[in-house]
Amino acid sequence: MCERNHPMKCFLATLLVAICGLFLHPATAAEDPAALLRAADRWRVSDDSLQVETRVQVLGRDGAVEKERLYTVFVQSGHRSLVLMRSPAEAGQRVLMLGDDFWLLMPGSQRPLRITPLQKLLGDASTGDIATLSWAEDYAGTLVGEESCEGQPCWHLQLRATRAGVSYQRIELWLGKARREPLRAELYVQSDKLAKQARFVLDRPEAPTTVAEMVLRDELGTHKETRVRYLSRTPKRVPEAWMNPMFLARNPPLE
């Protein structure tokens, strides 16, 4: 306790405690987890409503491409997405996400099938991996601290799901400290088992502007690598009817 007869000593002691607090807890004093997540999202989502042309490849242990599929993904505001399968093997199939609900629509069937966000599309890429791109809207983040990863200083955040319709209940995420770009992530399912490792590849190493590819490595079974490549992103708002599973079931594949 400061003595009444020494107000200057009291002031200096209080100032010293405050300064030490800044050095002991620099991350929490300077960085807001929600703001970090919004900044990280901008590397993957450039608009509220987007058309994202996506290529998914499964690689064998020798690094050769075993399978490849093409998808057109319409990411819309309000937790809504529509995935159109473009490859011949899946022609006419569509996946619709409305909030926490996912439907698979098969050609020739007028009955939408309820699925989960963990439903596999190809390799280790699930419907949730393709249809959802926002961490800030789906997770609450906690800043663990500053670490070194990928040869550079970064922020380590722990993300907890805030709604049911996400693929992973917990994500450990590392962002570059200077640009807030996503570098890598550990993806945990409901049982808190590590399901996948994710690595994010930027478009231009010297002057990056966006995440060009997400590389997934399975940690539960095959340990193979799946690459999700974002070929293009274009602002696109689709007709509201496209967000209705019964409309999609009654109509041919959309263009």
Side-chain angles (χ1 to χ4, degrees):
M1 181 179 295
C2 296
E3 299 180 8
R4 293 181 180 180
N5 295 330
H6 297 86
M8 181 57 68
K9 287 184 179 180
C10 184
F11 170 76
L12 291 175
T14 303
L15 180 62
L16 181 61
V17 169
I19 293 174
C20 289
L22 288 176
F23 281 100
L24 289 173
H25 305 285
T28 55
E31 296 297 337
D32 172 36
L36 285 174
L37 288 181
R38 289 193 297 270
D41 278 343
R42 287 195 287 270
W43 289 86
R44 302 196 302 163
V45 185
S46 57
D47 197 278
D48 287 341
S49 299
L50 283 175
Q51 176 177 335
V52 185
E53 298 298 333
T54 307
R55 180 181 68 208
V56 179
Q57 294 177 323
V58 179
L59 277 61
R61 296 184 183 275
D62 59 356
V65 176
E66 293 184 344
K67 294 180 181 179
E68 179 177 300
R69 297 285 189 272
L70 296 173
Y71 303 93
T72 297
V73 184
F74 297 104
V75 181
Q76 305 292 286
S77 59
H79 300 293
R80 303 179 301 166
S81 295
L82 176 62
V83 181
L84 308 183
M85 281 66 159
R86 294 301 194 187
S87 298
E90 301 171 320
Q93 297 183 36
R94 291 157 286 177
V95 171
L96 178 64
M97 182 195 82
L98 298 178
D100 294 336
D101 298 320
F102 284 73
W103 286 272
L104 172 64
L105 299 110
M106 302 294 291
S109 173
Q110 295 189 353
R111 191 181 188 90
L113 303 174
R114 294 291 292 267
I115 60 174
T116 74
L118 284 173
Q119 182 82 28
K120 292 291 182 69
L121 284 177
L122 185 70
D124 291 302
S126 66
T127 54
D129 292 326
I130 302 297
T132 58
L133 295 175
S134 175
W135 289 311
E137 293 183 356
D138 298 336
Y139 292 89
T142 301
L143 188 57
V144 177
E146 182 180 344
E147 299 178 8
S148 177
C149 58
E150 306 295 330
Q152 62 177 297
C154 64
W155 296 120
H156 175 192
L157 293 93
Q158 183 177 98
L159 279 56
R160 293 282 182 179
T162 56
R163 62 188 190 89
V166 294
S167 301
Y168 312 105
Q169 292 302 301
R170 175 166 69 93
I171 296 177
E172 300 292 325
L173 177 65
W174 286 264
L175 308 176
K177 185 177 179 182
R179 295 184 299 233
R180 278 55 172 170
E181 78 278 21
L183 299 173
R184 67 182 184 92
E186 295 176 350
L187 311 175
Y188 293 80
V189 291
Q190 185 73 43
S191 61
D192 208 36
K193 288 185 178 180
L194 176 60
K196 304 171 192 174
Q197 298 270 3
R199 178 170 53 88
F200 302 94
V201 181
L202 304 182
D203 57 342
R204 297 194 301 267
E206 298 301 324
T209 60
T210 188
V211 170
E213 187 174 60
M214 177 174 63
V215 182
L216 299 170
R217 176 179 168 81
D218 169 60
E219 295 294 336
L220 293 178
T222 66
H223 297 284
K224 289 186 176 182
E225 188 174 279
T226 301
R227 293 181 178 175
V228 180
R229 180 80 179 179
Y230 308 109
L231 303 177
S232 67
R233 297 176 176 90
T234 307
K236 173 75 172 181
R237 189 176 299 277
V238 303
E240 282 298 313
W242 290 19
M243 297 290 108
N244 185 320
M246 297 311 299
F247 171 86
L248 294 175
R250 293 192 301 266
N251 287 272
L254 307 170
E255 295 297 334

